[in-house]
């Protein structure tokens, strides 16, 4: 049963501060390792009250308030967030603007939300004021470092009902412009109960997290869930993790964490960076649940990580693939904690035709493996919708994933038309309201499998191609290419769709980049495995690929930056104009594959081109 919605997070924190005042709610590792700051339940509640008193003096009930704190000041952010809940205002978490683009986004966020105040701390205050001086906004500035904690007794608790807005969670924008999801107290409480049940949490929870706290996984999973169940969480800045990824596992080992997780790329990164000497100092035996919510979750990553860290006590059964998004207040599906990983081996060519055809041999070249994302919990329901008819698909049919649950947010802030289209979908003659996720997938034996985003699906020669499949092929074709750091997208050239690959390189190759060999390897691998000819390749500096705060590739941003030449490119290659314009006409002209192969053998890149007969043959069949 889900928790009654006559309670809310404010009441829960109040109860925790009374029943377990000295228990540590959060530990923040300032340097990612030894320099710690702790916050007990009583201290957190007192700070939240004091901040709320000041907010009530400056703002009106329901006002939007931006929270902008440095990555290294996580506990100050947490106190400010709960202060907003206590005051009855709507928190709008935002990342510290570290460059001109982020400053512009911050200015847009202020206009969109019509915010009345900004909460921050001493080191950022003057800088933020300078960045916003030209806007001439009537804003209240609240430096939470300067608040007198003794004022906490003067708080007037707001009326909170289940439909009241708790905060605005802006999407990470992996496929478009960020939008503010209106998270109500009802959806927040239901999402917390889902996490508690699916993850098997209790007051014994010890979490470890490094994801940004303004991101939904960092805020809803690492900040709010410990308060909901009465547990604790150890945190560090995402910068600390990036500087030294092993710090994540060292914290799990040191504090004997029970739950911790991250996107797929972080597990791969640890496999690459950790050496035997470092492994010998880790104890991961306490790690009961290692959630992974990236798109997609890769079986190879799970197997690789499990093998690498088995000597440290890590168990493969701890891996917990799940699926969620900000619009659903984080979690949509997740499996049973007690069950083994569920996977399907599918025919890749059939999948590109949106067909589910299972294969018995996972080792075959034309087979791809999908990991189950589990199933919905409590009152949640997942359905698959046909993209053309918007009718419900049968099992094992690919379509758009629709989700219905009381955990779903109220809609997008000040975007009624987009809200109606995204949050209020219905099947013909159906009375249940669904959230349209924009993701593709299918249901088999009650389990959800993701295949991609329909906005990202590429079509070449009448065949569907999922960009994550192309990106995986690229990163595996040459050691100079960085894992989980590529983007595949299409641009229009002379009226035709052409494939572009944008890919970061490994740091060790910065001074000796074998561009020709890398280009040849990418073109050959993409054609051999996907029957597509690459039009352009951009090799980027390490860290140059646009990503969301959770590490997801922003393909739309990559495409925009590629087109306006604003990527941090180390080397770039384009298909020669004569070759690009002749491929289609040659494919149509030479209906005999062997004639075509002989012609291509004279080409400077005949080794690659002669394999185009496969595509010709495929078209004829």
């Amino acid at each position: 049963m889900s928790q009654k919605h006559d309670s809310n997070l404010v009441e829960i924190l109040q109860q925790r501060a009374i029943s377990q005042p000295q228990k540590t709610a959060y530990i923040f590792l300032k340097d990612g390792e030894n320099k710690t700051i702790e916050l007990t339940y009583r201290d957190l509640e007192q700070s939240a009250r004091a901040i709320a008193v000041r907010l009530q003096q400056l703002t009106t009930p329901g006002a939007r308030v931006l929270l902008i704190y440095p990555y290294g000041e996580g506990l100050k952010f947490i106190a400010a967030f709960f202060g907003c809940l206590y005051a009855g205002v709507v928190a709008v978490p935002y990342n510290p603007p570290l460059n001109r683009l982020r400053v512009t986004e911050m200015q847009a966020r202020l206009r969109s939300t019509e915010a009345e105040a900004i909460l921050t701390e001493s080191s950022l205050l003057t800088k933020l004021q300078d960045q916003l001086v030209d806007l001439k906004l009537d804003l209240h500035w609240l430096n939470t470092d300067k608040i007198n904690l003794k004022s906490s007794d003067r708080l007037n608790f707001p009326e909170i009902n289940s439909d009241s807005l708790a905060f605005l969670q802006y999407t990470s924008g992996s496929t478009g412009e960020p939008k503010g999801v209106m998270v109500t107290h009802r959806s927040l409480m239901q999402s917390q109960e889902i996490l508690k049940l699916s993850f098997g949490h209790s007051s014994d929870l010890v979490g470890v997290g490094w994801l940004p706290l303004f991101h939904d996984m960092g805020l809803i999973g690492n900040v709010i869930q410990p308060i909901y169940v009465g547990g604790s969480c150890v945190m560090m800045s995402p910068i600390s993790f990036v500087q030294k990824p092993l710090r994540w596992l060292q914290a799990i080992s040191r504090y004997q964490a029970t739950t911790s997780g991250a996107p797929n790329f972080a597990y791969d990164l640890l496999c690459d960076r950790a050496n035997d000497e470092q492994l010998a100092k880790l104890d991961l035996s306490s790690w009961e649940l290692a959630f992974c919510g990236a798109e997609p979750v890769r079986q190879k990553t799970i197997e690789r990580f499990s093998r690498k860290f088995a000597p440290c006590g890590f168990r493969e059964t701890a891996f917990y693939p799940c699926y969620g998004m900000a619009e659903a207040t984080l979690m949509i599906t997740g499996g049973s904690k007690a069950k083994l990983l569920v996977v399907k081996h599918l025919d890749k060519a059939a999948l590109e035709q949106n067909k589910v055809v299972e294969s018995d041999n996972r080792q075959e070249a034309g087979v791809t493996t999908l990991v189950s994302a589990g199933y919905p919990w409590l009152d949640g329901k997942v359905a698959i919708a046909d993209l053309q008819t918007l009718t419900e698909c049968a099992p094992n049919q690919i379509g758009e994933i629709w989700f219905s649950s009381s955990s779903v947010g109220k809609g997008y802030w000040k975007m009624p038309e987009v809200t109606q289209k995204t949050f209020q979908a219905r099947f013909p003659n159906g009375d249940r309201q669904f959230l349209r996720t924009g993701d593709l997938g299918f249901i088999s034996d009650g389990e959800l499998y993701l295949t991609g985003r329909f906005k990202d699906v590429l079509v070449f020669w009448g065949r569907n191609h999922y960009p994550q499949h192309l990106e995986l092929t690229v990163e595996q074709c040459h050691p100079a290419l960085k894992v989980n750091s590529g983007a595949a997208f299409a641009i229009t050239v002379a009226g035709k769709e052409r494939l572009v690959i944008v890919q970061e390189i490994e740091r060790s190759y910065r001074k000796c980049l074998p561009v020709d060999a890398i280009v040849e390897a990418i073109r050959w691998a993409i054609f051999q495995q996907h029957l597509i000819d690459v039009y352009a390749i951009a090799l980027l500096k390490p860290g140059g690929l646009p990503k969301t705060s959770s590490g997801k590739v922003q393909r739309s941003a990559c495409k925009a930056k590629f087109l306006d030449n604003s990527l941090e490119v180390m080397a770039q290659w384009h298909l020669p104009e004569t070759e690009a314009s002749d491929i289609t006409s040659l494919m149509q002209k030479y209906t005999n594959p062997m004639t075509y192969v002989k012609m291509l053998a004279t080409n400077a890149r005949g080794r690659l081109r002669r394999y185009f007969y496969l595509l010709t043959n495929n078209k004829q069949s």
Side-chain angles (χ1 to χ4, degrees):
M1 294 291 292
S2 62
Q3 181 156 332
K4 294 181 180 179
H5 293 306
D6 54 1
S7 62
N8 55 65
L9 207 57
V10 171
E11 293 175 357
I12 289 174
L13 180 54
Q14 287 179 278
Q15 294 165 6
R16 303 282 184 229
I18 294 171
S19 63
Q20 49 190 54
Q22 298 304 322
K23 182 171 182 176
T24 299
Y26 307 105
I27 297 174
F28 196 87
L29 307 178
K30 290 284 287 185
D31 60 354
E33 297 182 31
N34 300 313
K35 190 177 179 181
T36 62
I37 303 176
E38 297 189 14
L39 195 62
T40 66
Y41 275 91
R42 183 175 64 184
D43 291 340
L44 172 61
E45 211 263 344
Q46 185 180 27
S47 296
R49 279 175 176 263
I51 292 170
V53 168
R54 189 69 181 118
L55 278 171
Q56 288 181 340
Q57 295 170 349
L58 298 175
T59 64
T60 55
R64 276 72 58 203
V65 176
L66 254 67
L67 277 60
I68 309 177
Y69 288 81
Y71 289 116
E73 300 292 349
L75 298 190
K76 293 179 181 179
F77 170 92
I78 292 171
F81 176 80
F82 280 100
C84 289
L85 294 180
Y86 270 54
V89 300
V90 180
V92 185
Y94 189 68
N95 53 308
L98 303 178
N99 54 47
R100 188 175 300 175
L101 175 61
R102 294 302 184 192
V103 171
T104 302
E105 289 179 355
M106 176 178 64
Q107 295 170 342
R109 192 70 48 88
L110 283 166
R111 294 192 191 96
S112 169
T113 60
E114 299 175 333
E116 294 185 16
I118 290 180
L119 268 61
T120 188
E121 52 86 61
S122 300
S123 67
L124 265 185
L125 181 61
T126 302
K127 182 178 180 180
L128 289 172
Q129 289 175 330
D130 290 343
Q131 290 170 335
L132 296 173
V133 66
D134 293 336
L135 292 186
K136 295 181 172 59
L137 296 174
D138 185 16
L139 279 172
H140 295 291
W141 291 88
L142 186 55
N143 179 356
T144 54
D145 291 349
K146 304 297 184 182
I147 290 178
N148 183 2
L149 296 181
K150 294 181 180 179
S151 65
S152 61
D153 294 335
R154 299 198 298 269
L155 177 65
N156 295 315
F157 280 98
E159 290 285 337
I160 297 177
N161 61 57
S162 57
D163 289 323
S164 299
L165 284 189
F167 61 100
L168 293 182
Q169 179 64 62
Y170 273 78
T171 64
S172 54
S174 59
T175 60
E177 290 298 317
K179 297 176 283 291
V181 179
M182 295 185 284
V183 178
T184 65
H185 283 275
R186 174 189 287 109
S187 58
L188 181 59
M189 296 299 286
Q190 184 74 346
S191 74
Q192 290 302 304
E193 185 70 5
I194 288 171
L195 286 177
K196 174 186 174 181
L197 293 177
S198 60
F199 284 13
H201 284 164
S202 68
S203 59
D204 295 329
L205 165 67
V206 178
V208 167
W210 51 265
L211 292 167
L213 301 187
F214 58 81
H215 182 266
D216 55 347
M217 195 183 297
L219 176 58
I220 297 169
N222 292 336
V223 173
I224 300 177
Q225 176 69 179
I227 301 299
Y228 185 81
V229 301
S232 304
C233 190
V234 180
M235 301 177 183
M236 70 182 72
S237 161
I239 296 175
S240 294
F241 168 77
V242 171
Q243 290 172 338
K244 186 180 175 182
L246 193 69
R247 286 170 171 161
W248 176 29
L249 301 190
Q250 288 172 334
I252 293 173
S253 178
R254 177 181 177 184
Y255 292 95
Q256 288 294 281
T258 58
T259 295
S260 189
N264 197 92
F265 81 90
Y267 294 99
D268 274 326
L269 193 60
L270 265 300
C271 290
D272 294 334
R273 299 289 179 86
N275 58 45
D276 291 342
E277 182 181 352
Q278 293 168 330
L279 263 60
K281 299 177 182 178
L282 294 176
D283 176 10
L284 304 180
S285 59
S286 66
W287 199 356
E288 298 174 1
L289 188 133
F291 64 83
C292 185
E295 30 178 10
V297 177
R298 295 174 176 171
Q299 186 191 27
K300 287 185 178 180
T301 300
I302 293 173
E303 292 176 343
R304 184 185 178 206
F305 188 91
S306 299
R307 284 195 305 269
K308 177 94 173 184
F309 294 96
C312 309
F314 181 80
R315 301 175 297 278
E316 185 173 354
T317 53
F319 257 109
Y320 188 90
C322 49
Y323 165 56
M325 58 196 306
E327 287 83 349
T329 321
L330 192 57
M331 189 163 165
I332 293 177
T333 60
S336 171
K337 183 179 177 181
K339 290 185 178 180
L340 296 175
L341 201 68
V342 181
V343 300
K344 282 194 178 296
H345 309 297
L346 304 179
D347 181 90
K348 189 180 296 184
L351 192 63
E352 290 170 351
Q353 298 293 335
N354 279 343
K355 297 176 183 177
V356 179
V357 178
E358 294 195 48
S359 173
D360 295 330
N361 187 358
R362 59 172 290 189
Q363 303 301 329
E364 292 180 358
V367 173
T368 187
T369 300
L370 297 185
V371 178
S372 165
Y375 42 82
W377 289 72
L378 296 179
D379 66 345
K381 175 178 172 57
V382 167
I384 305 299
D386 184 280
L387 290 176
Q388 302 302 320
T389 64
L390 298 186
T391 56
E392 188 168 1
C393 293
N396 292 309
Q397 285 187 316
I398 295 175
E400 184 185 7
I401 300 168
W402 287 15
F403 178 57
S404 176
S405 170
S406 54
S407 69
V408 172
K410 194 174 182 179
Y412 294 127
W413 175 257
K414 295 184 70 175
M415 301 178 74
E417 293 182 2
V418 183
T419 292
Q420 183 176 16
K421 180 179 178 181
T422 306
F423 287 81
Q424 300 170 15
R426 285 184 170 86
F427 289 114
N429 302 319
D431 56 358
R432 187 159 186 159
Q433 187 169 283
F434 286 87
L435 166 72
R436 297 188 62 174
T437 68
D439 289 319
L440 294 175
F442 64 92
I443 296 173
S444 180
D445 299 324
E447 304 267 347
L448 176 67
Y449 296 83
L450 277 77
T451 59
R453 290 193 67 87
F454 73 79
K455 290 183 180 180
D456 287 342
V457 170
L458 309 176
V459 181
F460 297 102
W461 292 94
R463 303 175 66 186
N464 292 335
H465 297 272
Y466 298 118
Q468 64 267 28
H469 295 167
L470 304 179
E471 292 155 6
L472 181 60
T473 296
V474 169
E475 70 182 37
Q476 294 177 340
C477 75
H478 196 282
L481 304 179
K482 190 176 178 182
V483 173
N484 294 307
S485 298
F489 52 85
I491 63 172
T492 303
V493 180
K496 297 179 177 64
E497 292 292 290
R498 299 295 189 192
L499 175 64
V500 176
I501 299 295
V502 173
Q503 173 68 48
E504 284 185 28
I505 65 163
E506 290 284 0
R507 292 186 181 276
S508 58
Y509 281 82
R510 285 179 297 178
K511 295 181 180 180
C512 53
L513 191 63
V515 177
D516 291 343
I518 293 173
V519 168
E520 180 74 7
I522 291 175
R523 296 184 67 195
W524 173 252
I526 288 291
F527 184 79
Q528 187 181 43
Q529 297 188 38
H530 304 280
L531 299 175
I532 309 172
D533 194 39
V534 180
Y535 173 77
I537 298 170
L539 301 177
L540 308 186
K541 297 178 181 178
L545 189 74
K547 292 183 178 181
T548 68
S549 55
S550 64
K552 296 178 184 177
V553 175
Q554 293 180 303
R555 296 188 184 97
S556 57
C558 288
K559 180 176 179 177
K561 287 178 173 291
F562 176 83
L563 292 173
D564 66 15
N565 297 312
S566 60
L567 289 168
E568 296 183 76
V569 175
M570 291 194 67
Q572 190 160 315
W573 171 90
H574 282 84
L575 190 68
E577 289 300 319
T578 53
E579 209 172 338
S581 61
D582 289 345
I583 288 173
T584 302
S585 60
L586 287 171
M587 290 296 298
Q588 296 170 346
K589 178 179 179 181
Y590 290 95
T591 57
N592 184 320
M594 291 312 298
T595 304
Y596 187 55
V597 170
K598 291 177 182 178
M599 183 278 301
L600 291 174
T602 63
N603 188 283
R605 292 186 179 272
R607 182 168 71 86
L608 175 63
R609 292 285 174 254
R610 71 171 59 94
Y611 279 86
F612 263 109
Y613 89 93
L614 293 172
L615 183 54
T616 308
N617 195 43
N618 179 272
K619 285 184 68 183
Q620 290 177 335
S621 61

